Amino acid sequence: DVKVTQSSRYLVKRTGEKVFLECVQDMDHENMFWYRQDPGLGLRLIYFSYDVKMKEKGDIPEGYSVSREKKERFSLILESASTNQTSMYLCASSLPNPTLQETQYFGPGTRLLVL
Amino acid sequence: GENVEQHPSTLSVQEGDSAVIKCTYSDSASNYFPWYKQELGKRPQLIIDIRSNVGEKKDQRIAVTLNKTAKHFSLHITETQPEDSAVYFCAASSNFGNEKLTFGTGTRLTIIP
């Protein structure tokens, strides 16, 4: 059973703080993704990674960075949190293309409030 | 880049009736179209997907249809039940999902008992 976990379910941070959101998957998936989910806007891709130390920008990367030092772990970093980054953050992982088993499996989400 | 539009944003149907959610996409290179269901407080989960070489796919009470010419695809739920109440997201991808998924904005489906 695929398991994607996120380090926190709820976080409260202050404007300007550096924030780390951690995601771990236990299925040896190559692909990992970070989304934010906001009402009326659906899921928007922030960053994704196809391999260790590899990252690519998604649709809304501004104000975020990522780190993938190990295959199972993908971290999202808010360098200087702002109130407009208050959101639900979802991590996902999947197998690569040739397997045709590309379902993205999501973590439970981290609800971040920036004050 | 890809743009996915989803309608309606909210949908209420009587238990036992059918529900239809529609999505359109902009990138003709898109070839993979999954649907995710997100129950309240839970993570999104894949419920059905379709590839561009297929026009329709069915799994028990849910089905998805794809019209490549018109660039739209739809989710059909028949004989709706209270547990179908959730937010549904469509998505599109141009490389069987290896490339990023572009999601629609979601449809909140409420089944009225």
Side-chain angles (χ1 to χ4, degrees):
Chain A
D1 196 24
V2 177
K3 197 167 187 180
V4 182
T5 57
Q6 295 182 227
S7 51
S8 306
R9 292 300 304 269
Y10 302 95
L11 270 181
V12 180
K13 297 291 181 181
R14 296 242 175 239
T15 301
E17 277 193 78
K18 191 168 186 176
V19 181
F20 292 87
L21 303 182
E22 302 283 337
C23 175
V24 177
Q25 50 91 8
D26 66 355
M27 289 302 293
D28 204 33
H29 283 175
E30 279 80 357
N31 302 337
M32 296 189 76
F33 307 84
W34 273 107
Y35 297 90
R36 63 176 283 176
Q37 182 177 12
D38 301 287
L41 297 177
L43 283 75
R44 293 180 294 165
L45 183 65
I46 304 171
Y47 267 97
F48 57 110
S49 170
Y50 293 144
D51 203 350
V52 175
K53 297 198 184 290
M54 175 274 174
K55 61 184 178 184
E56 286 199 28
K57 293 180 179 179
D59 298 317
I60 51 165
E62 296 79 18
Y64 303 94
S65 62
V66 290
S67 172
R68 192 158 182 209
E69 296 297 319
K70 294 184 178 181
K71 189 176 185 180
E72 67 271 19
R73 187 180 299 269
F74 192 34
S75 303
L76 180 69
I77 304 156
L78 286 66
E79 296 290 343
S80 177
S82 64
T83 54
N84 63 13
Q85 292 178 309
T86 291
S87 186
M88 169 70 86
Y89 290 87
L90 289 163
C91 174
S93 72
S94 71
L95 286 168
N97 173 295
T99 66
L100 294 184
Q101 298 175 61
E102 65 276 54
T103 302
Q104 288 193 18
Y105 295 90
F106 284 85
T110 296
R111 188 167 293 281
L112 173 66
L113 173 62
V114 182
L115 300 174
Chain B
E2 175 66 277
N3 181 50
V4 177
E5 295 190 359
Q6 182 172 350
H7 299 280
S9 57
T10 60
L11 178 61
S12 295
V13 301
Q14 209 71 37
E15 182 178 353
D17 287 350
S18 296
V20 180
I21 303 170
K22 298 181 179 181
C23 290
T24 60
Y25 60 97
S26 60
D27 188 352
S28 56
S30 288
N31 53 19
Y32 175 66
F33 308 92
W35 286 87
Y36 284 79
K37 175 184 180 182
Q38 186 177 30
E39 296 177 12
L40 189 62
K42 296 190 176 180
R43 68 192 76 191
Q45 290 192 300
L46 180 77
I47 54 170
I48 196 167
D49 58 11
I50 192 167
R51 304 178 195 283
S52 58
N53 58 346
V54 175
E56 184 174 359
K57 184 176 179 181
K58 193 172 181 181
D59 183 3
Q60 299 182 339
R61 294 187 298 109
I62 59 173
V64 58
T65 58
L66 171 64
N67 183 327
K68 284 194 298 180
T69 304
K71 290 192 279 189
H72 67 72
F73 56 112
S74 300
L75 177 71
H76 305 253
I77 307 174
T78 59
E79 301 172 13
T80 53
Q81 299 169 4
E83 54 265 36
D84 295 329
S85 293
V87 178
Y88 292 81
F89 293 98
C90 63
S93 171
S94 62
N95 193 21
F96 289 115
N98 196 33
E99 290 292 328
K100 59 182 183 179
L101 283 176
T102 300
F103 283 87
T105 50
T107 296
R108 182 174 297 279
L109 175 63
T110 302
I111 306 303
I112 305 166

